[in-house]
Amino acid sequence: MAKQALIFTDPDYGLDMPQWADMLTEANFAVWSHCVHSEDRPDDVSMAADILLVDLLDVSKDRVALVVERASALRKSLGFSQARVPMVAIADPSVALREELLTPFADVLKPPLTLDLISNRLTSLMRLATMRREAERRSRTFKRFGVGLPVVPPPSNLENQSLLYLGSGMAFLPVECALPETISTTAALTPAMALHYLENESFDTLVVELSDYNEHLIHFIGDLRRNPNYFSFPIILLCHKEATEDGLAGLAAGANDIVTFPFSERFFENRIEILVNEERYRRQLKKIFNEARLLMPTDATTRLYSEEFLKAHLQVLHEQENTASMTFAGIDISFDLVQGERREQSPSPALLARVGRMIYSLMRAEDLLARLDNGRFVAFFPDTDLFETRIALQRIRSIVQLSPFVEQNSGMGVNVVLDFSLHHCDSNKIDFNIEQILKDLFENPVVRF
């Protein structure tokens, strides 16, 4: 996924950056800054930013409102859509933004800032923006086939929330007191108990308390992130002062946010609200995508998108004004008998359909999977680079190849073999040729593994 950030600042840093921006560079972000009081327009490179940040760390309290207003006006004048390009404030812990000053921001991050915290939060917000952009593009493609798809806004109703608490319980009562009565809370003492609850009930957030011995909790967070069902599930670390290093390890394992204990009740409630809003919107978009797919031209065998729909969607991307960066994956599916003999005949349509649908279930909501012919599929990953795509496909391969499949006609077990080829491009390239892209994907890929 492209990582390009533009920082709006109060002082004019020229070609320099605020000191905290070094963490963005370490997290592989390309970073630029622009003074909110400047009359000059940012250059074209800065205008390609995927996320905006407003630096309020060293702004005096009496100037905070002015800087926020100037940043909001600048964002609007530059054409950065609130839905397409999120804006995040970096503020001092002593600064409490009034409700009207919070409105322009997708989130507010306060020290202590860590590389993993900033990277996780910004990447999550950028991915949510990608989902919204892809929803708009998918809607335009659906219209070509006579189907209207609503581009829904993020949910405004956050009632009936359910929170799962994992830990020793020392902070359980403060957590309950910090949250509205409408949020139900369930406690688990062990990761095994927490996993049982997650698999059998519906939760909006997981809060993990870190105090004394935390290694098993860190491993549990990592295991959840490797599980496709909990890839983006909100996880907040509640960290006691003696567990600061474990808190950093928890962020590196995939937690979304960290709150130190004791905490401000309003601050904790705000962190929960932001993450729940994001995750519910992800679920909402995924549900819409899945339901709308059945109204589109689909492959008769797998009920996945057809080659016709894939080409129409790529044409929509090519015609849009804004550049879309994307990675394609060619997927060759073949089968081995459990005894180790290679299959000579083609797999049954039912077996191919089961494998294809399993691969699709392991992909993100905004990704697209289409079948070309036989065992050849094409996966489309918007705003995703080759490295991230390869990691995602390796995860999919490990899950699929360890899953049991049976050939119904013979009753024999089979092993699934997945071969991948990758191709990356931008939609606004003059030589953007859909037929050539699909051909090169299998015959002349950038990466094959």
Side-chain angles (χ1 to χ4, degrees):
M1 179 178 181
K3 293 182 177 181
Q4 303 179 88
L6 175 60
I7 304 175
F8 289 150
T9 62
D10 185 25
D12 191 343
Y13 285 92
L15 297 177
D16 293 330
M17 302 288 166
Q19 187 173 358
W20 58 265
D22 290 343
M23 286 186 288
L24 292 176
T25 305
E26 289 183 52
N28 297 318
F29 278 79
V31 189
W32 305 276
S33 69
H34 184 78
C35 177
V36 294
H37 309 292
S38 173
E39 296 182 357
D40 297 329
R41 179 183 174 87
D43 57 39
D44 291 342
V45 175
S46 301
M47 289 295 294
D50 303 288
I51 193 162
L52 306 176
L53 299 107
V54 180
D55 180 20
L56 301 175
L57 272 182
D58 298 319
V59 177
S60 60
K61 291 184 179 180
D62 60 327
R63 287 182 57 83
V64 167
L66 171 64
V67 174
V68 172
E69 290 170 2
R70 293 297 296 265
S72 299
L74 182 60
R75 175 198 204 178
K76 185 177 181 180
S77 67
L78 294 176
F80 286 112
S81 164
Q82 189 166 349
R84 293 174 175 270
V85 184
M87 187 162 71
V88 175
I90 308 295
D92 189 89
S94 63
V95 174
L97 296 178
R98 301 191 307 271
E99 199 69 34
E100 63 270 20
L101 294 181
L102 285 171
T103 303
F105 299 113
D107 202 352
V108 178
L109 301 181
K110 298 182 178 182
L113 299 173
T114 68
L115 186 150
D116 290 311
L117 174 62
I118 286 186
S119 178
N120 289 354
R121 288 300 300 128
L122 297 191
T123 301
S124 177
L125 290 170
M126 290 162 62
R127 177 51 55 187
L128 193 65
T130 293
M131 293 180 69
R132 296 184 71 167
R133 291 194 295 270
E134 179 61 17
E136 294 172 0
R137 296 190 290 249
R138 202 79 63 93
S139 177
R140 290 196 290 273
T141 306
F142 288 166
K143 284 182 179 179
R144 296 193 173 198
F145 295 97
V147 176
L149 176 68
V151 181
V152 295
S156 56
N157 183 358
L158 295 179
E159 295 179 355
N160 301 319
Q161 293 183 45
S162 182
L163 179 146
L164 178 61
Y165 180 97
L166 170 61
S168 63
M170 287 187 289
F172 181 73
L173 185 58
V175 166
E176 276 203 314
C177 294
L179 300 176
E181 294 181 358
T182 54
I183 299 181
S184 63
T185 308
T186 302
L189 293 175
T190 66
M193 187 184 298
L195 184 60
H196 174 77
Y197 280 130
L198 287 171
E199 291 177 341
N200 292 279
E201 299 179 31
S202 177
F203 293 94
D204 291 289
T205 319
L206 172 64
V207 174
V208 180
E209 178 189 357
L210 301 179
S211 53
D212 298 326
Y213 175 68
N214 303 303
E215 185 176 355
H216 62 306
L217 300 176
I218 305 302
H219 286 312
F220 179 63
I221 293 170
D223 290 341
L224 286 181
R225 286 302 184 233
R226 286 187 288 271
N227 186 324
N229 294 325
Y230 309 107
F231 178 77
S232 61
F233 186 73
I235 301 176
I236 295 182
L237 302 176
L238 191 55
C239 190
H240 293 261
K241 291 183 178 179
E242 66 270 18
T244 303
E245 290 188 7
D246 287 339
L248 299 179
L251 287 171
N256 301 81
D257 208 344
I258 185 169
V259 176
T260 55
F261 182 81
F263 52 78
S264 159
E265 292 186 357
R266 181 67 188 96
F267 176 73
F268 184 75
E269 181 185 355
N270 177 256
R271 306 312 302 162
I272 295 286
E273 182 179 315
I274 287 174
L275 293 177
V276 169
N277 186 66
E278 289 178 20
E279 181 60 17
R280 287 195 174 185
Y281 189 47
R282 285 190 179 92
R283 295 177 188 173
Q284 190 176 24
L285 286 177
K286 188 167 187 175
K287 183 174 182 291
I288 291 175
F289 285 160
N290 286 338
E291 292 176 350
R293 175 174 55 85
L294 301 178
L295 302 175
M296 292 294 101
T298 55
D299 172 63
T301 299
T302 62
R303 300 299 292 167
L304 298 171
Y305 286 114
S306 65
E307 182 178 355
E308 179 187 4
F309 181 87
L310 173 65
K311 291 179 177 178
H313 190 56
L314 297 182
Q315 189 61 41
V316 167
L317 266 69
H318 183 47
E319 293 172 357
Q320 69 177 12
E321 293 183 6
N322 298 315
T323 302
S325 174
M326 66 202 82
T327 296
F328 297 94
I331 305 175
D332 271 313
I333 301 177
S334 56
F335 300 89
D336 288 339
L337 296 178
V338 171
Q339 288 87 344
E341 299 179 9
R342 194 76 174 187
R343 292 183 58 91
E344 296 296 334
Q345 68 274 25
S346 299
S348 69
L351 180 58
L352 196 60
R354 288 199 300 275
V355 176
R357 287 196 293 267
M358 184 176 190
I359 293 173
Y360 177 72
S361 71
L362 298 172
M363 295 168 63
R364 301 167 305 191
E366 65 272 28
D367 301 332
L368 188 153
L369 182 64
R371 180 179 177 233
L372 299 186
D373 54 51
N374 299 323
R376 295 198 313 161
F377 294 71
V378 172
F380 162 74
F381 299 88
D383 293 337
T384 310
D385 60 28
L386 289 169
F387 178 74
E388 289 178 309
T389 303
R390 181 164 186 160
I391 291 177
L393 292 174
Q394 287 173 332
R395 178 177 62 88
I396 290 172
R397 173 189 274 162
S398 65
I399 295 173
V400 171
Q401 293 189 166
L402 289 175
S403 301
F405 290 95
V406 176
E407 174 63 86
Q408 291 182 341
N409 294 337
S410 64
M412 300 183 67
V414 296
N415 295 322
V416 179
V417 180
L418 300 180
D419 294 310
F420 300 116
S421 51
L422 302 181
H423 181 84
H424 183 81
C425 68
D426 294 327
S427 62
N428 68 341
K429 284 190 173 180
I430 298 176
D431 59 348
F432 185 86
N433 184 302
I434 298 171
E435 297 290 346
Q436 192 63 44
I437 288 173
L438 296 180
K439 181 180 179 182
D440 289 344
L441 187 57
F442 291 94
E443 298 180 4
N444 188 31
V446 176
V447 179
R448 191 191 300 275
F449 63 102

